[in-house]
Amino acid sequence: MKAFPFALYDAFSACAFGGSQAAVVTDADSIEHKQRQDIAREIGMPATAFVEAIGADWIRAQFMSSVMELPMCGHGTICLCSRLLESGLLKIDDGGTSRLQLRLPKTTATVELKRRDDDRFQVMLDIRPPQFDPPPHLGALLPLLGLQAAALDPELPPETARGDFVHLLLPLAGLAAMRAIKPDFTGMLEFCRAKGIETIAVFCREVEHPDNSVHLRDFCPAVGVSESAAAGTTNAALTSYLLRHGLLPAGEDIIRINAEQGLELGRPSSIQSIVTPGANGIVRLQVGGGEGFRRPGIFEVNKVARDLEQLYRDALVWDAHAGVFPHPEVDLNLLDEWRQQRASYVSVNVGFDVMDWQETLATLAAYRRWVLARAERFVLVDDTGAIERAAAAGKLALSFDIEGMNALNNDLNMVSLYHRLGVRQMLFAYNLNNAAAGGCHDADTGLTDFGARVVQEMNRVGMIVDCSHAAYTTTLEIMQASHKPVVFSHSNPRAVWDHQRNITDEQIRACAATGGVVGLNGMGIFLGENDIGIETMARHVIYVSDLVGTQHIGFGFDYSPDIDIDVGVILRSRPDYWPAGQQYDTRHIKHAGPAQLPALIERLADSGFSDGDIRGFLGANFKRVAEQCWNGNGG
């Protein structure tokens, strides 16, 4: 039995029993995911923060409600930082303000800490501005709130805001309509689940207190909270909405607004949002406030030994790029090696820029026919649900990728054709420049106009945009052009091993900012001096984790078992694709693959990574990206 100290805080309020409550558990890295959920349910707060590790300028943590993991939590962040400051685990700089990075399993954010005049703490959290969509049909919702259509603000539209959560923003005519609400929480829960909504934010521009700009009630039964007394992420979405509809002061470099919430619950709250507007939208969006009353406590749990073998057996194992040489005569029975290593999914290469587009199509046709004829072992998939069903049936799920845009033959229409044939991921250049992009071993010409159109077309049809093998400037322009997450499917950090095929810290940060993933490559010359040792591989994982957080790491081993055909002819025909001085002439290049994963995750567990981190590395992080990218219209 191990004892864990915890404390309860009220965020967004200066008074006792005001604001929104959260519990903070420190030294929680040894608590398993299921136990954390059980603890959060037992404590019963709107959020519980589990602190896993603390660095000089970062915190790694996880938020749980009583029913689910929370991807982000504004009031939980305030309580978490206040607890760590009070206990001396965090320090504020002498100037009275500090910045740190909050690393959560699914995102990262910047947090600013400031000591107030009353010696308490002000916490401001950077929030990703949401995207707005039309709302679902509201006919079924208004009766669940006890309202008629006349209660809605006639000058403002309801909208859906998609950020860390999915919020339905519902403007009311005034406080009289707000006070008339009689919530049916069971009905709202069913509505939210049916419509993919996580919170219903009902607001009006009429306020109780003149210092405030908006009055809010936030109903969250889908995340385990009937109504939140103060919600930072919801207020950030609401602030973006107000700016979008011209309801915030114009012409100011920085806009500050206060929202009032929790009055109907008897837990008055004040939430501050700070917006930095720009010509093309919001440059920066912060939300925060202070914490109030706090109550310490201790609970005990049985410490469960980590069963890493079971974790690996149960996890989704995703290899984002197999380096199988693309050729119609390749015997794809070699894919059984991934099945034997309990991989769930692998992306198989069907072409690269050294080949012409006809050879790519011939290889793709041969591979498709081969896979579809062996449905007892392999499944060609186009959504993540099919991957999970294949894994449950003991089959290997796969789709195809192409390395470079020569396969398009300068024709944008080829993107949707390849998508229809099972290609779910495309690189923009293979080492050298092409009509779309610059390659990593060539002059850094950037993304061409054709390449920019390809990015948009890939986003449209539902294909993952992949920056591996492309040049530095090109990758940054690709990531700026894409409105969906972007990956480096098989690339390593250049700060750990200086190779032109590896990527800089700026590229890694830019990838993470899109919500994307860096898939670490298993080729020895990209890891070190032809070194595929577990320590070397772990060093690359740890470096990226420290840089952008664990939710942006996966594996794309670029691995291939031995094949029986002679590939030397095509390789020798274009040696410029593999220039001298870049280790390509190394004899017997070593190559890590899925077989190294059990030993690697054991090493990473010893380094302090949680089970959730490791599940993310193995496949959950890439699955998250696929869920966001594969949902195009396919056409």
Side-chain angles (χ1 to χ4, degrees):
M1 192 80 73
K2 183 174 181 178
F4 289 88
F6 75 101
L8 305 181
Y9 286 80
D10 299 329
F12 298 116
S13 177
C15 65
F17 309 113
S20 191
Q21 300 167 297
V24 183
V25 181
T26 54
D27 191 27
D29 194 45
S30 61
I31 304 176
E32 298 296 319
H33 185 277
K34 183 181 184 306
Q35 286 187 312
R36 292 183 191 185
Q37 188 65 78
D38 291 342
I39 291 164
R41 187 179 301 110
E42 182 70 17
I43 292 176
M45 293 294 102
T48 298
F50 294 91
V51 183
E52 298 173 348
I54 305 170
D57 60 355
W58 57 270
I59 303 168
R60 192 171 79 233
Q62 184 181 35
F63 294 116
M64 294 278 197
S65 75
S66 60
V67 299
M68 64 179 286
E69 179 183 350
L70 303 174
M72 177 58 75
C73 184
H75 79 278
T77 300
I78 291 175
C79 300
L80 164 65
C81 292
S82 298
R83 176 63 173 168
L84 297 180
L85 287 164
E86 286 183 347
S87 58
L89 296 173
L90 279 182
K91 305 288 185 183
I92 286 185
D93 293 342
D94 293 339
T97 302
S98 292
R99 288 167 62 94
L100 58 85
Q101 184 184 67
L102 177 63
R103 301 174 180 176
L104 303 173
K106 297 182 179 179
T107 191
T108 60
T110 299
V111 180
E112 287 188 353
L113 311 173
K114 184 176 181 179
R115 190 179 295 276
R116 303 187 313 211
D117 292 340
D118 61 1
D119 212 34
R120 304 306 306 156
F121 304 108
Q122 178 86 4
V123 181
M124 298 301 295
L125 172 67
D126 277 42
I127 297 289
R128 177 165 55 97
Q131 294 181 334
F132 289 91
D133 297 319
H137 182 64
L138 301 178
L141 175 61
L142 291 177
L144 301 176
L145 294 167
L147 298 177
Q148 302 293 324
L152 298 177
D153 188 328
E155 299 178 0
L156 292 174
E159 286 186 324
T160 300
R162 298 182 183 275
D164 293 303
F165 292 88
V166 181
H167 310 276
L168 173 59
L169 301 177
L170 189 65
L172 297 189
L175 288 175
M178 190 73 67
R179 291 166 183 151
I181 291 175
K182 295 185 169 81
D184 176 353
F185 293 115
T186 300
M188 276 196 284
L189 174 59
E190 294 174 356
F191 176 87
C192 288
R193 287 176 174 170
K195 305 297 184 182
I197 300 294
E198 289 169 309
T199 86
I200 300 172
V202 184
F203 68 95
C204 66
R205 290 175 283 172
E206 184 182 1
V207 294
E208 299 272 6
H209 302 291
D211 291 339
N212 297 323
S213 304
V214 65
H215 184 104
L216 172 68
R217 295 185 72 176
D218 193 28
F219 302 104
C220 323
V223 299
V225 181
S226 296
E227 182 175 355
S228 173
T233 52
T234 303
N235 273 276
L238 178 56
T239 299
S240 299
Y241 174 95
L242 297 176
L243 181 67
R244 168 181 169 86
H245 290 282
L247 300 178
L248 299 184
E252 298 186 11
D253 294 336
I254 296 178
I255 303 170
R256 300 174 186 270
I257 72 164
N258 291 319
E260 59 188 29
Q261 190 177 342
L263 299 180
E264 291 81 5
L265 299 176
R267 302 190 66 90
S269 310
S270 178
I271 302 97
Q272 184 181 70
S273 297
I274 303 175
V275 185
T276 304
N280 298 314
I282 294 175
V283 176
R284 190 179 187 191
L285 176 60
Q286 295 175 281
V287 66
E291 44 68 44
F293 194 62
R294 49 204 177 277
R295 299 168 293 283
I298 293 176
F299 63 86
E300 294 183 338
V301 297
N302 289 315
K303 184 171 171 30
V304 177
R306 301 176 77 174
D307 186 347
L308 295 176
E309 290 186 8
Q310 187 64 44
L311 186 155
Y312 183 71
R313 286 194 296 271
D314 293 344
L316 180 78
V317 179
W318 186 296
D319 188 348
H321 178 74
V324 175
F325 188 86
H327 193 282
E329 295 180 10
V330 168
D331 182 359
L332 290 182
N333 283 299
L334 55 79
L335 293 173
D336 273 321
E337 184 165 338
W338 276 265
R339 292 180 65 237
Q340 292 160 6
Q341 299 301 331
R342 291 184 173 274
S344 311
Y345 167 85
V346 61
S347 182
V348 180
N349 180 23
V350 295
F352 65 145
D353 273 354
V354 186
M355 302 160 53
D356 61 35
W357 66 275
Q358 294 98 330
E359 291 174 300
T360 298
L361 275 176
T363 302
L364 177 55
Y367 284 15
R368 275 183 57 87
R369 183 172 182 273
W370 191 95
V371 171
L372 294 173
R374 290 158 179 81
E376 75 283 358
R377 289 185 288 159
F378 305 103
V379 180
L380 187 60
V381 298
D382 55 14
D383 64 73
T384 57
I387 296 173
E388 293 173 335
R389 292 190 294 274
K395 302 176 183 180
L396 176 67
L398 59 90
S399 63
F400 304 122
D401 64 66
I402 298 174
E403 296 186 287
M405 295 294 163
N406 284 348
L408 298 183
N409 192 33
N410 296 324
D411 185 352
L412 192 67
N413 297 314
M414 295 289 284
V415 176
S416 60
L417 173 64
Y418 282 127
H419 181 274
R420 290 292 183 105
L421 295 176
V423 175
R424 289 296 178 269
Q425 184 171 294
M426 281 189 72
L427 282 68
F428 276 72
Y430 184 85
N431 294 352
L432 300 185
N433 297 351
N434 59 33
C440 65
H441 292 322
D442 207 337
D444 193 354
T445 54
L447 187 67
T448 69
D449 291 341
F450 175 65
R453 294 197 302 273
V454 171
V455 174
Q456 297 305 312
E457 181 69 355
M458 291 176 68
N459 285 167
R460 184 186 73 82
V461 302
M463 198 183 287
I464 294 175
V465 172
D466 189 348
C467 285
S468 284
H469 286 276
Y472 167 82
T473 300
T474 295
T475 63
L476 297 183
E477 292 175 353
I478 289 170
M479 290 184 277
Q480 187 175 21
S482 177
H483 66 266
K484 291 188 177 182
V486 172
V487 305
F488 288 88
S489 65
H490 55 296
S491 295
N492 294 336
R494 194 161 181 173
V496 179
W497 185 250
D498 189 10
H499 193 289
Q500 287 180 2
R501 257 287 283 120
N502 289 342
I503 56 177
T504 67
D505 288 1
E506 186 177 359
Q507 289 170 289
I508 296 170
R509 290 192 186 100
C511 177
T514 73
V517 174
V518 175
L520 297 176
N521 194 312
M523 187 173 287
I525 62 172
F526 302 148
L527 288 164
E529 195 68 58
N530 200 19
D531 178 5
I532 60 170
I534 295 300
E535 288 298 320
T536 299
M537 296 171 68
R539 187 159 61 246
H540 284 264
V541 173
I542 292 167
Y543 184 84
V544 178
S545 172
D546 288 343
L547 190 66
V548 295
T550 59
Q551 66 273 23
H552 301 294
I553 301 171
F555 298 108
F557 284 112
D558 202 8
Y559 169 76
S560 176
D562 292 336
I563 58 178
D564 294 331
I565 67 171
D566 180 11
V567 301
V569 174
I570 191 169
L571 299 182
R572 289 190 294 270
S573 70
R574 290 297 305 270
D576 48 335
Y577 276 96
W578 303 277
Q582 293 295 317
Q583 299 175 268
Y584 293 116
D585 58 353
T586 301
R587 289 177 58 83
H588 306 301
I589 294 176
K590 298 176 182 176
H591 216 137
Q596 277 70 38
L597 279 174
L600 179 57
I601 66 172
E602 184 175 353
R603 172 65 181 83
L604 295 173
D606 290 341
S607 295
F609 290 103
S610 70
D611 287 4
D613 294 334
I614 292 171
R615 290 189 190 94
F617 300 159
L618 288 173
N621 292 337
F622 267 122
K623 178 190 174 191
R624 180 190 74 240
V625 171
E627 287 173 336
Q628 295 176 69
C629 293
W630 287 356
N631 61 352
N633 65 22

